[in-house]
């Protein structure tokens, strides 16, 4: 498969643009079995303060939300599993890891008030997962939101009408419920463009009295919204990075792109990747124009995607710094230096944490992803924790403290 001509640049453009390639594929039994395991897993949703942890079975939550949507009179087209979890189902890599559990409910939203109704409905569903000894009548929707919702997004404009409710999991495996009427851009990269339609499997749970076997299981359809399922699957199996029009993605897909690089994915087309990087950086700095926004976005991304893995955080920041330094053309020089310095300081904070954890202090610094010592990335550590300097990012040495 590694020699497949689809991995070349010209072949990719032709395949994507001709529109003839199929977007759909039926899952085989092993993939349906993996999907069944994911839906039946119990995911802890952690409460803030003294609120108890909710033990939520994904299948039960989906069935409950479907029922409530019907009771509210909100038309439901289908339910889909999206993102890295869908990629996990389709991947043939045994060590493939996924983070958030992303669910898409395709709904018809006639007005912005429907988004509020959906939010209240989801929060009401959480009451059923509270322990029996909790006095549920005293808990308001606002209290539930503050206790269990990590992120709440509502988008209503000409091109997009959708909402997102993200339920908190302290291990980084949040349960994200997205209610979509229309969404112009549904993916960042080809490897996260897969959506698995769950309706047939949910109907199987409700109506079949026979357990699933290799010879008796529902037909489950997967789709790649990238537009070419075989090509997207080829990228997934061969750990290749490909996208289209990154300037359409909020944040340009820059943070996800650097995450893929850290996870040892490679560009599908090396001849085009520098141009794509410039588009990614430009859109990122349009959406996060000041240094405070950039810091908040980076901190949230690191906390959500590298839970408990400080070394991976460090490698990620080194990679992000390189891409921004090499591919940012839309900023004034002092703005770019400010962003690079922010990343340097975040990397140094992680460096100090690693040193404290390992109780090792030396002047060489931790190894970078490619095995080059820390000073080789443009940093100088003077042998004690009081000074950390950037040696080649600026005309003079600048302390991060």
């Amino acid at each position: 498969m590694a020699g497949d001509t689809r991995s070349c640049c010209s072949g990719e453009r032709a395949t994507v643009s001709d529109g003839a390639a199929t977007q759909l594929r039926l899952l085989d039994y092993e993939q349906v079995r993996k999907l069944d395991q994911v839906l039946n897993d119990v995911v802890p949703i952690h409460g803030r303060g003294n609120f108890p942890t909710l033990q939520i079975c994904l299948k039960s939550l989906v069935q409950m939300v479907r029922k409530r949507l019907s009771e509210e009179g909100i038309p439901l087209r289908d339910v889909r599993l999206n993102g890295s979890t869908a990629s996990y189902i389709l991947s043939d890599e045994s060590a493939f890891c996924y983070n958030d559990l992303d669910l898409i409910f395709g709904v018809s939203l006639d007005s912005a008030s429907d988004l509020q109704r959906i939010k209240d409905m989801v929060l009401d569903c959480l009451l059923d997962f509270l322990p029996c000894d909790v006095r549920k009548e005293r808990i308001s929707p606002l209290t539930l939101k503050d206790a269990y919702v990590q992120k709440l997004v509502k988008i209503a404009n000409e091109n997009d009408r959708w909402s997102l409710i993200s339920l908190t999991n302290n291990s980084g495996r949040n349960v994200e419920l997205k209610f979509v009427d229309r969404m112009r851009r549904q993916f960042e990269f080809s490897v996260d463009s897969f959506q698995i339609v769950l309706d047939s499997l949910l109907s199987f749970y409700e109506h079949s009295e026979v357990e699933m076997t290799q010879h008796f299981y529902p037909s489950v359809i997967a789709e790649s919204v990238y537009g070419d399922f075989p090509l997207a699957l080829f990228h997934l199996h061969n750990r290749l990075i490909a996208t289209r029009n990154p300037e359409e993605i909020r944040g340009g897909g820059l943070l996800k792109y650097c995450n893929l690089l850290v996870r040892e994915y490679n560009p599908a087309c090396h001849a085009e990747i520098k141009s794509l990087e410039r588009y990614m950086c430009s859109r990122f700095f349009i959406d996060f124009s000041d240094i405070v926004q950039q810091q908040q976005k980076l901190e949230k991304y690191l906390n959500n995607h590298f839970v408990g893995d400080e070394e991976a955080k460090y490698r990620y920041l080194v990679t992000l710094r390189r891409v921004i330094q090499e591919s940012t053309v839309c900023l004034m020089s002092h703005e770019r230096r400010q962003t690079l310095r922010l990343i340097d300081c975040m990397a140094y904070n992680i460096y100090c944490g690693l040193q404290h954890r390992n109780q090792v202090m030396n002047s060489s610094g931790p190894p970078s992803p490619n095995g080059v010592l820390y000073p080789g990335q443009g940093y100088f550590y003077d042998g004690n924790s009081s000074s950390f300097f950037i040696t080649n990012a600026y005309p003079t040495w600048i302390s991060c403290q």
Side-chain angles (χ1 to χ4, degrees):
M1 181 175 284
D4 196 316
T5 57
R6 289 176 296 183
S7 62
C8 71
C9 301
S10 59
E12 180 177 328
R13 285 198 294 269
T15 305
V16 171
S17 62
D18 63 18
T22 180
Q23 293 178 242
L24 307 175
R25 177 168 295 184
L26 280 174
L27 301 189
D28 59 31
Y29 170 69
E30 287 301 319
Q31 291 168 337
V32 174
R33 187 180 60 80
K34 286 172 69 176
L35 177 60
D36 175 64
Q37 290 175 345
V38 168
L39 292 180
N40 281 283
D41 278 347
V42 174
V43 182
I45 301 300
H46 298 100
R48 295 182 180 88
N50 294 325
F51 279 85
T53 298
L54 307 182
Q55 302 296 334
I56 291 184
C57 172
L58 207 60
K59 177 179 72 174
S60 300
L61 179 62
V62 171
Q63 291 172 329
M64 192 177 299
V65 172
R66 289 177 86 205
K67 180 181 177 182
R68 290 299 304 275
L69 286 170
S70 177
E71 293 172 352
E72 292 287 334
I74 299 176
L76 177 64
R77 295 188 300 273
D78 55 31
V79 184
R80 298 179 176 224
L81 187 67
N82 183 52
S84 62
T85 315
S87 299
Y88 161 75
I89 301 299
L90 294 163
S91 175
D92 56 6
E93 184 180 337
S94 59
F96 190 95
C97 296
Y98 60 93
N99 292 316
D100 294 341
L101 292 155
D102 300 328
L103 293 162
I104 297 177
F105 295 82
V107 294
S108 296
L109 303 173
D110 297 327
S111 66
S113 63
D114 288 335
L115 297 175
Q116 181 65 39
R117 291 167 59 201
I118 286 174
K119 184 193 80 170
D120 293 341
M121 177 208 69
V122 171
L123 294 175
D124 191 55
C125 288
L126 295 182
L127 287 173
D128 291 341
F129 292 97
L130 286 168
C132 298
D133 57 349
V134 174
R135 301 188 66 174
K136 301 176 184 179
E137 66 276 4
R138 294 190 173 186
I139 301 178
S140 67
L142 179 60
T143 301
L144 285 170
K145 179 181 79 69
D146 292 339
Y148 294 108
V149 175
Q150 184 181 72
K151 182 168 56 177
L152 187 62
V153 179
K154 293 182 183 179
I155 303 293
N157 56 44
E158 182 179 350
N159 297 313
D160 300 276
R161 187 184 293 274
W162 54 271
S163 69
L164 168 68
I165 301 172
S166 178
L167 306 178
T168 306
N169 176 272
N170 292 341
S171 299
R173 188 160 291 182
N174 295 341
V175 175
E176 300 203 335
L177 309 177
K178 190 175 289 183
F179 298 86
V180 178
D181 185 344
R182 57 183 181 268
M183 179 182 290
R184 183 175 66 170
R185 179 78 181 214
Q186 299 186 56
F187 73 98
E188 291 185 274
F189 297 89
S190 61
V191 293
D192 61 24
S193 68
F194 300 104
Q195 297 181 359
I196 298 175
V197 183
L198 301 179
D199 296 78
S200 60
L201 184 55
L202 295 171
S203 296
F204 182 88
Y205 291 145
E206 293 172 3
H207 302 295
S208 177
E209 298 179 356
V210 181
E211 290 187 3
M212 190 185 307
T213 68
Q214 187 170 359
H215 304 290
F216 182 74
Y217 61 94
S219 297
V220 179
I221 294 174
E223 177 182 0
S224 170
V225 292
Y226 180 68
D228 185 334
F229 196 104
L231 184 59
L233 194 63
F234 176 81
H235 293 160
L236 178 65
H237 288 164
N238 291 273
R239 305 175 73 84
L240 296 175
I241 302 171
T243 189
R244 297 196 304 274
N245 304 324
E247 66 276 11
E248 297 177 355
I249 308 169
R250 176 165 173 78
L254 175 63
L255 302 187
K256 177 63 179 287
Y257 169 69
C258 293
N259 193 347
L260 291 173
L261 291 176
V262 169
R263 290 159 52 194
E264 299 183 347
Y265 282 68
N266 295 298
C269 180
H270 288 275
E272 295 181 351
I273 197 60
K274 286 301 178 184
S275 175
L276 292 176
E277 285 182 358
R278 287 192 290 271
Y279 280 117
M280 292 178 202
C281 291
S282 295
R283 179 61 195 264
F284 179 82
F285 289 113
I286 289 172
D287 292 330
F288 306 99
S289 55
D290 67 69
I291 197 68
V292 175
Q293 290 178 317
Q294 293 164 21
Q295 181 175 355
Q296 291 173 344
K297 182 63 178 178
L298 278 176
E299 287 175 348
K300 287 181 180 178
Y301 193 89
L302 291 173
N303 291 335
N304 289 338
H305 292 83
F306 300 97
V307 177
D309 192 346
E310 297 300 299
E311 292 181 1
K313 285 183 183 179
Y314 168 76
R315 294 195 302 271
Y316 178 84
L317 289 170
V318 170
T319 302
L320 177 64
R321 188 191 197 283
R322 177 186 60 76
V323 172
I324 290 177
Q325 185 175 34
E326 294 177 357
S327 300
T328 299
V329 296
C330 62
L331 296 181
M332 301 289 287
S333 59
H334 71 278
E335 293 174 322
R336 188 171 69 134
R337 287 198 302 269
Q338 188 179 43
T339 299
L340 293 175
R341 181 175 181 179
L342 167 66
I343 298 172
D344 291 333
C345 290
M346 294 177 72
Y348 176 56
N349 287 336
I350 293 172
Y351 165 81
C352 290
L354 288 170
Q355 291 295 301
H356 178 72
R357 185 192 69 182
N358 297 327
Q359 297 183 342
V360 174
M361 296 297 291
N362 55 63
S363 59
S364 63
S368 66
N370 60 4
V372 180
L373 293 178
Y374 204 73
Q377 299 296 333
Y379 310 116
F380 172 73
Y381 178 65
D382 70 354
N384 62 66
S385 60
S386 62
S387 302
F388 181 75
F389 300 99
I390 300 137
T391 61
N392 62 7
Y394 310 107
T396 57
W397 289 8
I398 300 176
S399 173
C400 280
Q401 293 187 332

